[in-house]
Amino acid sequence: MELSKEVGLTTEQRKTILVAMQKYRDATMKGFRAKTGERVAPDEMKRLMDAAVRDAMEAMSKEQAEKLLEVSERKKAERAATPRPPRFSSEKLNEMRDLSQIQSKLMRLSYDTELSEELELTAEQRVELSEVQREYRSASEELRKDSKTMDLGQRNELLQKLVMDSQTILSPDQSEKLAFEIKVERLKREHGDEFALINGLADDYGLDDRAKAKLSEKIQEVRKDYYDDWMALKKKSMEAIINELPRKHREEAEAAVQYFVDEDPRDKMNRSRFSLPVRK
């Protein structure tokens, strides 16, 4: 609102620009909302994004557009002059991500009885692991209080200490089992599901390029059959249930479960790997 006044926009101009901005956001989300099998062409998305920008610019006079550019440049300069938190290297960020994943898994050992039984933890081990977690949280809180900005190096050192202290409590066999579970969870998150994570595991199996390509092709083939069959079975099962209802109530029941019937887990996997086209 403050920017609108500074540029001298009327209520109608502001509304037109807000509509254009909404169209721009809708265009950027088009790929993320694509259904399985639906191809969203980057050129089409870029065309919609450019059209939204053009609508916004055409809503202003030449003087207002120049004023907007002037205000934008001024605010950009103000931001550049404002002290920013230090940038972290990708190596440090990846290290923190991996260590944080281990920390999260270790924390589960204190309350997840199923995981603890799987690793054959004793009650004493679980208590000792809880104490290590408590010390880590306390040290993290002190670091947060003492530092005006986040010190990634120091945070990683705390995480490393937590991992090393925890490893002295676990047996080598327990540590190996836990490390494998963490690896599987990471690969599933990176590749999308249990079918695709096999590709990640195969990176350690010494396969040549031809074998890798054949494996990927087979995974895609089996994965498609599985989800297609699962979607069909879900629809058939729901229809069988709804057909037990009196005919006059079936339409309402169908509407109530339509989202569940149409929901395809592959849609979310596709969206997580979608990249926006670059506007120049």
Side-chain angles (χ1 to χ4, degrees):
M1 197 67 177
E2 183 180 335
L3 179 60
S4 299
K5 291 180 180 178
E6 195 167 352
V7 176
L9 298 178
T10 65
T11 302
E12 193 60 35
Q13 283 178 310
R14 183 172 180 272
K15 182 178 179 181
T16 301
I17 292 172
L18 288 175
V19 169
M21 289 171 62
Q22 184 60 57
K23 288 181 178 178
Y24 184 92
R25 285 192 290 269
D26 290 345
T28 62
M29 292 300 294
K30 198 172 181 64
F32 294 105
R33 293 171 179 160
K35 297 290 184 182
T36 298
E38 179 185 353
R39 184 178 180 276
V40 179
D43 289 347
E44 172 63 13
M45 285 184 61
K46 185 176 183 303
R47 185 188 68 78
L48 294 172
M49 292 159 68
D50 289 344
V53 172
R54 188 166 56 251
D55 288 348
M57 296 304 294
E58 288 177 354
M60 295 181 285
S61 66
K62 181 181 178 181
E63 291 74 17
Q64 289 172 323
E66 291 174 349
K67 181 65 175 178
L68 178 62
L69 180 61
E70 177 190 323
V71 172
S72 298
E73 289 297 326
R74 188 182 75 235
K75 290 185 178 295
K76 183 178 178 181
E78 290 173 355
R79 286 195 299 272
T82 304
R84 306 174 98 184
R87 285 189 163 222
F88 305 119
S89 67
S90 59
E91 290 81 6
K92 285 288 184 184
L93 289 170
N94 288 335
E95 182 185 19
M96 186 186 73
R97 181 201 62 192
D98 293 341
L99 288 169
S100 295
Q101 186 181 3
I102 297 172
Q103 185 266 334
S104 177
K105 195 74 170 180
L106 287 167
M107 184 170 64
R108 278 183 55 193
L109 294 176
S110 62
Y111 63 83
D112 189 331
T113 54
E114 185 177 341
L115 179 60
S116 297
E117 288 173 1
E118 185 180 333
L119 296 180
E120 299 180 348
L121 292 181
T122 65
E124 288 78 11
Q125 283 179 306
R126 293 175 67 192
V127 169
E128 290 175 11
L129 287 167
S130 295
E131 183 62 18
V132 169
Q133 288 281 343
R134 186 194 64 77
E135 291 174 358
Y136 164 74
R137 288 194 297 271
S138 177
S140 294
E141 182 62 20
E142 288 301 316
L143 178 62
R144 188 187 66 79
K145 290 179 180 177
D146 295 341
S147 303
K148 291 183 179 180
T149 58
M150 180 181 176
D151 189 319
L152 198 58
Q154 287 182 294
R155 177 173 169 77
N156 284 352
E157 287 176 10
L158 288 179
L159 285 166
Q160 288 169 350
K161 182 178 185 304
L162 165 72
V163 173
M164 288 188 291
D165 289 348
S166 298
Q167 285 179 330
T168 63
I169 298 170
L170 300 172
S171 70
D173 186 54
Q174 289 170 332
S175 293
E176 186 176 341
K177 286 181 179 178
L178 186 64
F180 181 71
E181 287 210 9
I182 292 170
K183 177 181 180 179
V184 168
E185 287 182 359
R186 175 177 59 80
L187 290 174
K188 180 181 175 183
R189 187 172 61 251
E190 291 176 357
H191 292 272
D193 64 4
E194 285 79 1
F195 292 106
L197 76 80
I198 300 295
N199 268 327
L201 288 173
D203 289 338
D204 298 330
Y205 297 162
L207 302 180
D208 58 29
D209 290 343
R210 183 178 179 183
K212 285 182 179 179
K214 188 176 180 181
L215 175 65
S216 294
E217 185 179 333
K218 175 56 70 173
I219 287 172
Q220 291 301 318
E221 176 188 329
V222 172
R223 184 172 176 266
K224 181 181 184 305
D225 289 344
Y226 169 82
Y227 284 113
D228 285 350
D229 290 347
W230 183 75
M231 291 292 291
L233 177 61
K234 183 168 58 164
K235 182 179 181 181
K236 180 180 178 182
S237 300
M238 195 58 73
E239 285 176 351
I241 294 171
I242 291 174
N243 285 340
E244 292 298 313
L245 295 171
R247 188 176 298 276
K248 64 180 180 179
H249 297 304
R250 291 178 189 174
E251 185 175 347
E252 183 180 27
E254 286 175 359
V257 298
Q258 193 65 51
Y259 178 81
F260 168 74
V261 172
D262 293 341
E263 187 179 26
D264 191 328
R266 288 171 291 188
D267 294 343
K268 292 182 180 178
M269 298 174 204
N270 295 338
R271 291 164 195 163
S272 67
R273 289 185 286 277
F274 177 78
S275 297
L276 285 172
V278 177
R279 289 191 70 252
K280 295 180 181 181

